[in-house]
Amino acid sequence: MIFSVQIFDELESTNTTALERARENADEGTIIVAKRQSFGRGRNNRVWSSPVGNLYCSTILRPQRDQQEWGQLSFVCALSIGSVLDDFSLEWKLKWPNDVLCRGAKVSGILLEKESNFIIAGIGINVLQVPHVEGRIVTSIWQEYTALQQQSLLIASAVERILDADQVRLALQKHLTYWYDLWQEQGFQPIRDAWLQKAVGLNNRLKVSLPSGKIVEGVMLGIDAQGVLEIKTGDDMLEKITAGDVFFD
């Protein structure tokens, strides 16, 4: 993928600006980056806190696969973020549908928004700052890396001087290209396989809060060939869930 990067000191939301550019026929690979967002948006209309020092970017994608498959890009983006964390030797896990976790704490956010001939992949990564998020445990790459290297202040200080949002963005571009191209060429199966290897909660009990407010309880079996969450309920029925918030017992 060829990237065209547009960087702004501040935007209301990188997704909003990327949507505008896409409607004006901007090329695939156009990335809108903001050092700060005044009204960042997360999943389910949640506000995404956007302090300076973290990465906020939205990429215009024009997939060649069937539109019914485009939602699978949520898993593509999650694996891309995880690969960035690999670059810093950090341990990470994935929680359905697209939370990337370090030691159980959320390190990023993903917001997909699509129209007829494009989809916007909005990604926020906590690089240096750890914003307060109501009801969530949150961390940053810097916090996790310094915890890993706390025995060596010299190493940690050296990394602090070079770690910034631009460095993380360049790594993200590399890994997004890999996972996106793999999905385009081979479909969801290799994405599903890689996601399941990092999935948290497999074969464990969980609760899922559905958009309707209903709570579904059971054991997490995994995800199907479309990325739908599969749960075995108490009466041994298979429940398939397309949207919801997951909580583990």
Side-chain angles (χ1 to χ4, degrees), residues 205 214-219 221 231-240:
R205 291 196 58 79
K214 178 184 176 182
I215 302 295
V216 177
E217 299 186 45
V219 174
L221 301 179
I231 295 175
K232 183 174 73 174
T233 60
D235 52 5
D236 283 337
M237 296 293 290
L238 177 64
E239 185 90 21
K240 286 179 170 280

Side-chain angles (χ1 to χ4, degrees), residues 17-137:
T17 300
L19 283 165
E20 294 170 354
R21 298 289 194 274
R23 290 166 186 159
E24 296 166 355
N25 295 317
D27 291 336
E28 178 174 67
T30 299
I31 301 182
I32 304 300
V33 182
K35 297 178 181 178
R36 183 180 181 278
Q37 297 180 115
S38 58
F39 193 71
R41 294 183 284 116
R43 199 163 54 90
N44 298 328
N45 293 317
R46 296 187 178 102
V47 175
W48 182 261
S49 180
S50 306
V52 173
N54 294 340
L55 175 63
Y56 315 108
C57 65
S58 297
T59 306
I60 297 173
L61 300 173
R62 300 186 184 275
Q64 298 305 303
R65 302 194 67 84
D66 190 288
Q67 282 202 26
Q68 292 184 346
E69 300 177 84
W70 287 13
Q72 298 166 3
L73 286 168
S74 173
F75 300 91
V76 169
C77 291
L79 287 167
S80 300
I81 295 167
S83 296
V84 172
L85 300 179
D86 277 337
D87 290 349
F88 292 93
S89 301
L90 298 179
E91 292 292 328
W92 53 279
K93 290 288 187 179
L94 297 171
K95 189 179 86 166
W96 188 89
N98 59 25
D99 281 353
V100 183
L101 308 177
C102 286
R103 295 187 299 163
K106 186 178 172 74
V107 74
S108 63
I110 298 167
L111 177 63
L112 301 182
E113 295 185 290
K114 71 174 183 177
E115 294 193 4
S116 60
N117 63 344
F118 66 84
I119 185 166
I120 305 301
I123 293 177
I125 301 177
N126 297 333
V127 179
L128 297 175
Q129 305 297 327
V130 181
H132 172 74
V133 180
E134 190 68 33
R136 298 289 183 101
I137 303 173

